[in-house]
Amino acid sequence: MAGPGLRERISSLLADAGEAYAGTPWERRFQAEERHLEGALRVAIAGTVKAGKSTLLNALVGQPVAATDAGECTRVITEYIYGQRAEAWGVLAAEPGAVVQSPVLLDVAQTDVDLRIDLRSRRAEDFSRLLVTVPNPALIGLTVIDTPGMSSLTRQLGVNARRFLTGADDSADRPDAVLYLMRQLHLTDASFLEAFRDPVARDVPPVNALGILSRADEVGGGRDDALAMAASIASRYAREDQLRPYVQTVVPVAGLLATCASTLSESDYDDLSSLADLPASVTDGMLLSGDRFIAGRRFVPVAQDRRLQLMERLGLYGIRWALPELRSTGRLGLPAFRQQLADHSGLTHLREVLRAQILERRDVLKADAALRLVQRATSSTAVPGSARIASQSEKLRLGIADFQQLQLLNDLRQGALEADLATRAALERLLGSDGGSVAARLGAPASSSPDVLLGFVVEQHSQWRRVVSDVLTDPRLARAAAVAQKALEIMHRDLSNGMGGASTGDPHDVKEFPPASPSPPPAPVSGS
């Protein structure tokens, strides 16, 4: 998390820049960026058609809000924000240079499966985006954005979606982070993610993007070990050179099960429990196929229409997993079973990754984007005072450890730092790629006491200090090691002060670091 006052300092810089660039197009951009700085964190869900975007959106929001079919609304960028009641507005697409019209109020109806939005005889192409308010506390401080699939789009919808996701139009409505869904690593995915390499599209760098191996329960034809296979594939994808420059990590999620973790009803749970009471020899035969499970049967305590609903809610894989789980754990109740669904589906892990990698970096990610906007303006358009503003921006970036760590993590993901695999892995872990807690960043057991963590900090600081002091170390690696040292010094300060959190804020007033032990263990890193 950023140190206190970061948002105020960036806001002051943007206001100063807006005054200097008054009367130019940059003035409007700076003003919009200042508003964006104070707004909710904006997370977009992207992927190809049928990648499971709407299902994941429902799971993250915790209630059915997005249609999972190919209706008109799925072809428009749709933003879901917190509100007192369910309402929707459509922002009409405007011609270049035209005055932007006020949003149009649309009709909304809540069904069992989603919010139904009536476009009032207009086409998807008539809107630049839809705005939907949902009375769910899960959306407080967070805007979740569903985007059209990256394939099977009209040309204009495809252009709009790509420009929006990559921030290519410098709009303050751009996403702060992107969850990119893929069923497998395909050329379509690589083509879209390549847009992040464009110098114009730097507003969503790789540390702001997570890859999601969606529909993980369908891997291997939906066999019993599908999620274990999906986890192995996701781990391999996260190391792929094709993906490393674009996403921070890859997380497998079974969307249907993840949605049920929030939406499974008491009657659904009772039906599953009744089926679990049957002998496994009976249900195993029923679960050979979806048709056999739904088919009319004598002596089955759950009616055919209810079995059809279970199949629609959980899928064949989900039911095959649920019945043995209920037999082994007994009837613990719906809340406990929902938690089991969240854990098994990968939703719990995704939420943890999203919190540690994106949400906890909220202020830093927004501030980083603001400083990059200032840099683009001052480097491309000289006005009286622009040199001073550029200098202030650079001082902010160099004086705050969060920015240095964010830049280093981006450089590591994009291959800009030449170092061996062990060194890169150690740096990425220390910078939070495996989680934002102190224990995760140090590679220590999660249950480690503050004293044990301090031991890890002192040992690793000594190792990175030797890398910095080695005259044979490549200068770029030496700079990276210095960033690692500073991160460890801040951890040492926080642990010593009893904070024990993952603070990586302003490095000022860091106490003098303890000397290295006389015989430190061999360093796990080296120059290349």
Side-chain angles (χ1 to χ4, degrees):
M1 296 292 288
L6 173 61
R7 203 181 305 179
E8 289 76 9
R9 282 179 279 177
I10 297 296
S11 180
S12 177
L13 175 68
L14 289 171
D16 196 9
E19 291 180 7
Y21 281 86
T24 74
W26 290 108
E27 179 185 15
R28 177 186 56 80
R29 294 185 184 181
F30 288 133
Q31 292 171 345
E33 193 69 27
E34 192 170 357
R35 292 192 298 271
H36 180 79
L37 193 67
E38 298 296 328
L41 190 74
R42 298 169 57 80
V43 178
I45 300 176
T48 56
V49 170
K50 298 298 183 183
K53 295 182 288 81
S54 297
T55 302
L56 180 66
L57 173 62
N58 291 338
L60 287 175
V61 172
Q63 69 181 73
V65 292
T68 55
D69 59 17
E72 277 285 290
C73 291
T74 64
R75 302 171 60 214
V76 187
I77 295 168
T78 305
E79 302 184 11
Y80 294 88
I81 61 178
Y82 176 75
Q84 295 297 319
R85 57 183 180 273
E87 293 182 313
W89 292 266
V91 179
L92 293 171
E95 295 294 329
V99 176
V100 178
Q101 300 182 40
S102 299
V104 177
L105 184 64
L106 302 173
D107 294 329
V108 178
Q110 176 76 66
T111 73
D112 290 338
V113 294
D114 56 42
L115 288 172
R116 291 289 173 177
I117 302 172
D118 184 356
L119 298 185
R120 294 187 172 181
S121 76
R122 288 189 170 92
R123 304 171 304 157
E125 289 84 350
D126 295 334
F127 296 94
S128 62
R129 71 194 61 190
L130 303 180
L131 308 175
V132 182
T133 59
V134 180
N136 191 313
L139 288 174
I140 294 177
L142 178 67
T143 297
V144 182
I145 308 166
D146 195 13
T147 64
M150 288 294 105
S151 56
S152 300
L153 291 170
T154 67
R155 182 179 183 279
Q156 189 55 49
L157 286 173
V159 169
N160 290 345
R162 284 175 180 262
R163 289 184 64 83
F164 170 76
L165 285 164
T166 60
D169 55 4
D170 277 318
S171 170
D173 290 331
R174 70 182 185 280
D176 297 302
V178 171
L179 306 182
Y180 187 79
L181 276 65
M182 63 190 86
R183 299 181 68 175
Q184 59 184 352
L185 185 53
H186 189 272
L187 286 177
T188 304
D189 303 309
S191 173
F192 168 73
L193 292 168
E194 180 66 23
F196 290 130
R197 272 198 186 276
D198 191 324
V200 181
R202 290 173 295 179
D203 284 318
V204 187
V207 295
N208 302 40
L210 300 178
I212 310 295
L213 185 61
S214 60
R215 305 178 75 154
D217 51 319
E218 298 178 9
V219 171
R223 44 192 279 183
D224 290 346
D225 61 348
L227 288 185
M229 291 178 61
S232 177
I233 293 171
S235 178
R236 189 180 79 241
Y237 280 1
R239 299 190 300 269
E240 286 279 354
D241 290 341
Q242 287 176 279
L243 280 180
R244 276 183 56 84
Y246 311 122
V247 298
Q248 187 174 159
T249 189
V250 180
V251 180
V253 178
L256 278 178
L257 270 65
T259 300
C260 284
S262 301
T263 63
L264 194 75
S265 68
E266 195 73 52
S267 59
D268 291 330
Y269 176 72
D270 289 341
D271 289 341
L272 286 170
S273 298
S274 297
L275 290 171
D277 289 339
L278 296 174
S281 58
V282 174
T283 56
D284 287 350
M286 294 172 61
L287 290 170
L288 290 174
S289 71
D291 289 341
R292 288 175 67 92
F293 178 76
I294 297 169
R297 290 174 178 270
R298 297 178 62 190
F299 310 119
V300 174
V302 179
Q304 188 174 9
D305 63 326
R306 298 293 305 168
R307 277 179 275 142
L308 174 61
Q309 179 166 307
L310 287 177
M311 182 63 63
E312 292 173 343
R313 291 278 179 96
L314 290 132
L316 192 60
Y317 171 87
I319 299 172
R320 284 173 175 166
W321 168 83
L323 299 188
E325 188 72 16
L326 286 167
R327 291 185 184 117
S328 64
T329 61
R331 296 199 181 194
L332 301 178
L334 179 60
F337 186 66
R338 280 183 169 182
Q339 185 59 55
Q340 290 174 306
L341 281 167
D343 294 344
H344 185 69
S345 67
L347 179 62
T348 298
H349 179 50
L350 173 59
R351 283 174 171 162
E352 290 172 351
V353 172
L354 184 61
R355 174 190 54 77
Q357 313 294 53
I358 304 296
L359 299 180
E360 288 187 354
R361 288 181 170 139
R362 176 201 181 280
D363 286 357
V364 180
L365 295 179
K366 284 179 172 286
D368 179 62
L371 291 185
R372 281 186 274 114
L373 177 64
V374 171
Q375 191 275 330
R376 289 202 298 277
T378 55
S379 62
S380 65
T381 309
V383 298
S386 59
R388 173 180 53 81
I389 292 167
S391 176
Q392 291 175 349
S393 175
E394 189 64 16
K395 285 180 180 178
L396 271 174
R397 185 174 291 282
L398 294 177
I400 297 178
D402 292 285
F403 290 138
Q404 299 169 24
Q405 295 179 35
L406 194 68
Q407 183 60 55
L408 176 56
L409 190 52
N410 271 318
D411 290 345
L412 287 164
R413 300 305 298 182
Q414 294 177 322
L417 178 67
E418 293 185 6
D420 59 67
L421 183 60
T423 299
R424 294 199 304 269
L427 281 169
E428 289 188 17
R429 184 193 66 219
L430 184 60
L431 297 171
S433 65
D434 293 345
S437 70
V438 170
R441 294 174 65 188
L442 294 171
S447 58
S448 299
S449 67
D451 286 342
V452 170
L453 293 175
L454 278 170
F456 273 81
V457 170
V458 171
E459 179 179 323
Q460 292 183 25
H461 186 273
S462 176
Q463 294 167 357
W464 290 114
R465 182 165 56 189
R466 293 203 304 277
V467 175
V468 172
S469 61
D470 188 341
V471 295
L472 299 179
T473 299
D474 180 276
R476 288 170 297 182
L477 179 57
R479 287 192 292 271
V483 173
Q485 279 186 280
K486 183 59 67 177
L488 289 161
E489 288 164 9
I490 295 170
M491 286 186 201
H492 187 276
R493 177 198 65 191
D494 292 347
L495 287 167
S496 298
N497 291 339
M499 292 174 62
S503 171
T504 57
D506 198 315
H508 298 303
D509 300 325
V510 174
K511 297 178 181 178
E512 183 177 353
F513 210 80
S517 58
S519 301
V525 295
S526 61
S528 59

